[in-house]
Amino acid sequence: MSAAPLVGYSSSSSEDEDEAKAGAQAQPGAGSCPRAQSPLPSQRLPVPDSVLHMFLGTEEGPEDDSAKHGGRVRTFPHERGNWATHVYVPYEAKEEFLDLLDMLLPRAQTYVSRLVRMEAFHLSLSQSVVLRHHWILPFVQALKDRMASFQGTFVGLEVTSGHAQFLDLVSEVDRVMEEFDLTTFYQDPSFHISLAWCVGDARLQLEGQCLRELQTIVDEFEDSEMVLRVHAEQVRCKSGHKFFSMPLK
């Protein structure tokens, strides 16, 4: 297998941008007692944290604040009870892969200085969609049923082998999306692992000479064919702050 090609692209949706986390705060109700026995305000004892936090909501996420996410904004606004959900194949980066990335990113940053290295790596099988809290477990169970018969496969930085198997995976994920009346994946997708991101559309700067230079680095990197091979052993679903894994055979 030849070294996988690099691609620059713009995405209208990012699982990192659309991520929603549970953590709403609720005020506990105050009980009543006879007026004669009520302590004066100065005599009230502090309420233990265990009581204050026992009624925290499990469906509400934080307010949107793009400053906390490098300037990125959500594709859809956060609403109470909505959980941003994404299906993907995780990639555990090895030392050799990170060494290659250490060579690629500085070169790319000479063309687009605002590029930021990804903190984690994955290969998407779905767009980011919105699930209601009570849909999460049925949705995940439907995914597990669909993934049960699939075997593991190998993929490259941009998939040059195993493409058909990943189309099959996406087809099953799309079936689950349709069951829940959610958006399916892109038509004719190009499966890839994102290496870096930036705010705004930087395709013009990345195309042409920049990509040619980056491709040369990949082609000349020692044992690049093995470094860029990924053994996909599981499909993972992230919904808000919850993670669910579906092993592949």
Side-chain angles (χ1 to χ4, degrees):
M1 182 185 77
S2 60
L6 289 163
V7 291
Y9 64 94
S10 175
S11 174
S12 62
S13 176
S14 167
E15 60 279 359
D16 295 324
E17 300 169 20
D18 301 336
E19 183 173 282
K21 296 183 179 179
Q25 290 192 356
Q27 294 183 353
S32 60
C33 58
R35 179 174 300 177
Q37 297 178 2
S38 298
L40 295 174
S42 61
Q43 297 175 321
R44 294 184 184 275
L45 297 175
V47 180
D49 287 344
S50 59
V51 175
L52 285 174
H53 293 85
M54 67 186 299
F55 298 109
L56 289 178
T58 59
E59 299 187 17
E60 186 174 350
E63 295 182 359
D64 293 337
D65 186 353
S66 62
K68 296 179 179 180
H69 305 284
R72 291 173 291 178
V73 296
R74 294 177 183 272
T75 302
F76 43 81
H78 171 74
E79 295 181 12
R80 178 171 181 169
N82 284 352
W83 290 54
T85 302
H86 176 232
V87 183
Y88 61 97
V89 172
Y91 171 53
E92 300 297 332
K94 302 297 190 293
E95 182 177 355
E96 294 83 357
F97 177 88
L98 298 177
D99 289 342
L100 176 59
L101 183 54
D102 286 341
M103 298 172 63
L104 292 170
L105 187 56
R107 180 67 62 88
Q109 286 172 332
T110 63
Y111 290 86
V112 182
S113 60
R114 63 183 186 276
L115 279 173
V116 179
R117 174 173 169 160
M118 297 293 293
E119 296 179 358
F121 306 94
H122 65 266
L123 189 149
S124 292
L125 298 178
S126 80
Q127 299 190 54
S128 289
V129 296
V130 175
L131 275 182
R132 300 294 294 176
H133 182 263
H134 58 276
W135 288 355
I136 295 176
L137 292 182
F139 179 85
V140 171
Q141 185 58 54
L143 280 176
K144 289 182 177 180
D145 294 343
R146 293 285 180 181
M147 299 295 107
S149 62
F150 278 89
Q151 297 186 2
T153 187
F154 285 89
V155 302
L157 195 61
E158 181 187 12
V159 173
T160 54
S161 65
H163 191 273
Q165 292 96 319
F166 273 87
L167 283 177
D168 290 340
L169 278 173
V170 167
S171 177
E172 297 302 326
V173 173
D174 280 350
R175 288 174 181 267
V176 177
M177 293 294 181
E178 290 170 349
E179 289 177 18
F180 287 80
D181 197 23
L182 299 170
T183 304
T184 56
F185 205 40
Y186 307 104
Q187 294 293 322
D188 301 320
S190 172
F191 300 107
H192 59 272
I193 295 175
S194 298
L195 304 180
W197 65 272
C198 69
V199 175
D201 190 343
R203 283 178 294 177
L204 290 179
Q205 298 99 305
L206 291 172
E207 291 173 351
Q209 182 62 28
C210 178
L211 279 180
R212 286 193 291 271
E213 292 180 13
L214 297 179
Q215 188 65 58
T216 298
I217 294 175
V218 173
D219 293 341
E220 295 178 351
F221 191 77
E222 184 178 5
D223 296 327
S224 60
E225 291 188 12
M226 296 305 300
V227 170
L228 300 179
R229 288 173 67 88
V230 182
H231 189 200
E233 298 178 332
Q234 64 173 301
V235 170
R236 187 174 293 172
C237 177
K238 181 181 180 184
S239 189
H241 69 293
K242 299 177 182 293
F243 292 87
F244 305 89
S245 295
M246 287 140 275
L248 300 176
K249 288 184 177 180

